[in-house]
Amino acid sequence: MHAYQVSSAGMPPEHAEIPRPTPAPGEILVRIAACGLNFADLLMIEGKYQDTPEPPFTLGMEVAGYVETLGPGVDGPAPGAKVAVFGGRGGLADYGCFPADRVVALPETADLEQAAALQIAYGTSHVALDYKARLRRGETLLVLGAAGGVGLTAVEIGKLMGARVIACARGKDKLEVAAQAGADHLIDAETDDIRDAVKSLGGADVVYDPVGGDQFRAALRACNPEARMLVIGFASGDVPQIPANHLLVKNIDVLGFYWGGYLKFRPEVVTQSLATLFTWLADGRIAPHISHRLPLARADQALELLRSRKSTGKVIVTP
């Protein structure tokens, strides 16, 4: 089968022909129909992601497809059934073996590209806003990087939860995407003073930050008393240092958040969240925004869209 693999840390990934895997006990072999890309894939290539496997490994963290074969002892969806999986790796390939307890059965009507696009981005935002930050109806949510893969879902889910949403992104085109997702107010990170703009709108009760750097520092200064700041990632490449005196004066909480970590110590949090999200998807309450679809043979170009920040929402690779 075809796979897009990292052969050694720090080296560019390569297309390879490798044997089709056989599922071990507790695993399911999935014929992959769609794989969602994430910023973490870029970090894995550089060996900088917190869960980077030992090379060689196949990139691609979240997939959707069809059950091909059940491993020994697995009582799971029947062969041919549609499923979604957060495997953490292995998605940029024709087939993949994944732990059965991470496989989520989908209805026959499910759109597999949307199912692949939903898991990490929507899962991150839903667990972060609902479980971690306790976002309440009527509060003001500031979303930084609001047109990116996770930021856009935070806008959408924040609105579903009844918040007033301020979206911050770079340029009119990206802000238009955030507006279409339901943002109430827009801030252009290229031209606007984020701190002043947010304060003029009454300040932020919850900040969702996948960017870091100067935007984090500006958002911190625009927080209301008892605000909660969600540290989602550092797409800017700048990990900000937090002035503890600002936290003290306004009783602000800064909350580190890593969605994949819950799979290790509180997997039920992720399972319950995904059940809610797939119900919302089936009901038409959420609609993953996919800006680009590319075949597996162009996986390098798909990743470059993330690296150059030319995508909005999700980039999907279809084996």
Side-chain angles (χ1 to χ4, degrees):
M1 71 172 191
H2 188 77
Y4 191 60
Q5 291 197 316
V6 172
S7 58
S8 59
M11 296 298 293
E14 299 175 336
H15 293 274
E17 294 295 326
I18 62 174
R20 194 173 86 173
T22 300
E27 291 185 337
I28 293 178
L29 176 65
V30 176
R31 175 164 56 89
I32 297 169
C35 175
L37 298 189
N38 295 273
F39 188 75
D41 290 307
L42 300 177
L43 296 179
M44 280 192 185
I45 293 171
E46 300 173 1
K48 296 180 179 179
Y49 189 59
Q50 56 262 38
D51 282 338
T52 301
E54 287 295 321
F57 64 89
T58 299
L59 289 164
M61 302 177 73
E62 55 183 340
V63 304
Y66 302 90
V67 173
E68 186 75 10
T69 309
L70 301 178
V74 173
D75 181 18
K82 288 183 176 182
V83 293
V85 190
F86 171 73
R89 58 175 167 172
L92 290 179
D94 295 321
Y95 294 86
C97 286
F98 303 102
D101 59 4
R102 292 195 182 188
V103 176
V104 179
L106 300 174
E108 277 300 310
T109 56
D111 181 300
L112 293 178
E113 291 185 0
Q114 287 192 331
L118 179 148
Q119 296 169 80
I120 296 175
Y122 279 87
T124 293
S125 293
H126 183 248
V127 177
L129 294 175
D130 183 53
Y131 176 80
K132 193 75 172 178
R134 309 173 307 282
L135 178 66
R136 296 185 291 270
R137 180 172 296 276
E139 289 191 311
T140 297
L141 167 66
L142 169 62
V143 180
L144 304 178
V150 293
L152 199 60
T153 66
V155 172
E156 195 173 354
I157 288 175
K159 286 300 295 181
L160 276 174
M161 293 178 66
R164 182 178 68 135
V165 178
I166 304 171
C168 180
R170 293 187 179 277
K172 292 181 180 179
D173 291 345
K174 289 188 175 182
L175 286 172
E176 177 58 30
V177 172
Q180 292 174 5
D184 299 289
H185 304 280
L186 305 175
I187 296 174
D188 191 332
E190 290 183 337
T191 59
D192 296 334
D193 183 303
I194 295 173
R195 177 193 179 188
D196 288 349
V198 175
K199 287 179 73 69
S200 72
L201 293 168
D205 300 308
V206 174
V207 177
Y208 183 98
D209 180 20
V211 178
D214 290 340
Q215 293 193 32
F216 175 94
R217 288 182 277 269
L220 175 61
R221 292 177 177 274
C223 279
N224 292 327
E226 293 194 322
R228 289 86 74 201
M229 292 196 69
L230 287 159
V231 178
I232 306 296
F234 312 103
S236 67
D238 179 353
V239 179
Q241 300 302 303
I242 300 170
N245 58 315
H246 285 249
L247 309 184
L248 182 152
V249 171
K250 288 189 176 181
N251 288 288
I252 293 171
D253 294 335
V254 177
L255 306 170
F257 182 79
Y258 168 44
W259 182 78
Y262 283 96
L263 291 167
K264 299 178 181 179
F265 59 85
R266 290 289 303 278
E268 70 277 8
V269 171
V270 172
T271 302
Q272 292 166 6
S273 172
L274 286 176
T276 297
L277 291 170
F278 281 119
T279 298
W280 286 357
L281 181 65
D283 292 343
R285 300 182 69 191
I286 55 175
H289 175 75
I290 300 171
S291 65
H292 295 82
R293 297 170 174 83
L294 292 90
L296 182 55
R298 296 172 60 193
D300 52 346
Q301 298 173 46
L303 287 168
E304 182 57 31
L305 289 168
L306 296 186
R307 188 178 289 111
S308 63
R309 301 187 187 181
K310 292 182 179 178
S311 62
T312 57
K314 295 292 288 189
V315 175
I316 294 293
V317 172
T318 54

